[in-house]
Amino acid sequence: MNKSVLWLVIFFVVLAWSAVEPKDQFTWFLEVLPALIALPLLAFTRKSFPLTSLAYVLILIHCVILMVGGHYTYAEVPLFDWIAEWTGGSRNNYDKVGHLAQGFVPVLLAREVFIRLNVVKVGAWCNFLAVCFTLAFSAFYELIEWWVAELTGEDAEAFLGTQGYVWDTQSDMAMALVGAISAIVLLSRYQDKLIALKMNVQAKG
């Protein structure tokens, strides 16, 4: 099966599952909206600016995380309820997985764009600026959550997923930072090789 077709099959299967009797319809829409926005953007740029295979895989994983959170709400994902009970905790921490991904995936996307468009060369400055971009993105998302809460009132409580934790916003951004740094440490060299291959192919084409 073609990789693009497989990507789409996984995306739409999980999306369909997520949309069937979600815990809260409004929260589901808010949570999966970034994935719904990403899909046409990826389709539109598929020929003009195709990403590396690593980028597409990570985007899909991030979309799946969003869809699972949308189906159950971030505060009620069953597996993380079980983990909380097993560890003696009182909080479902699935939202922290989402914010970890919010750092892990965008930082690599930022690196790829920076490198391929010659915004900055591969190296420490590239990594630093990619992390800065990711933190800015994370902070902006927190602002979006605030605006949604102000506009919708109590209806946005499940979307915010604070679960009574006073430092939820700050810890969300901290998890994004951890995710961004982890991605650079673990995958930046591999990503650089994929980017070099992609650029060589485009140059020959």
Side-chain angles (χ1 to χ4, degrees), residues 66-104:
L66 294 172
M67 293 171 190
V68 171
H71 181 78
Y72 293 110
T73 76
Y74 276 80
E76 298 186 38
V77 175
L79 174 60
F80 282 76
D81 277 340
W82 176 83
I83 292 173
E85 292 175 5
W86 182 63
T87 58
S90 59
R91 190 181 192 282
N92 186 308
N93 284 311
Y94 184 77
D95 66 315
K96 300 310 175 193
V97 174
H99 284 280
L100 185 74
Q102 193 182 76
F104 198 98

Side-chain angles (χ1 to χ4, degrees), residues 141-152:
Y141 195 83
E142 294 299 327
L143 291 176
I144 291 174
E145 289 186 342
W146 170 38
W147 296 333
V148 170
E150 287 291 332
L151 291 172
T152 61

Side-chain angles (χ1 to χ4, degrees), residues 7 89 148 204:
W7 194 100
V148 170
K204 292 177 180 179

Side-chain angles (χ1 to χ4, degrees), residues 164-175:
Y165 183 38
V166 67
W167 301 113
D168 184 70
T169 298
Q170 291 81 358
S171 64
D172 286 349
M173 290 187 286
M175 289 302 295

Side-chain angles (χ1 to χ4, degrees), residues 98-165:
H99 284 280
L100 185 74
Q102 193 182 76
F104 198 98
V105 179
V107 75
L108 294 177
L109 295 178
R111 285 188 85 252
E112 181 162 340
V113 172
F114 289 168
I115 294 168
R116 290 177 59 185
L117 295 182
N118 294 314
V119 176
V120 62
K121 294 180 180 179
V122 175
W125 275 108
C126 179
N127 294 337
F128 174 72
L129 292 174
V131 170
C132 289
F133 168 83
T134 303
L135 283 176
F137 177 77
S138 177
F140 182 66
Y141 195 83
E142 294 299 327
L143 291 176
I144 291 174
E145 289 186 342
W146 170 38
W147 296 333
V148 170
E150 287 291 332
L151 291 172
T152 61
E154 294 181 1
D155 289 338
E157 184 176 347
F159 175 57
L160 292 174
T162 57
Q163 301 178 64
Y165 183 38

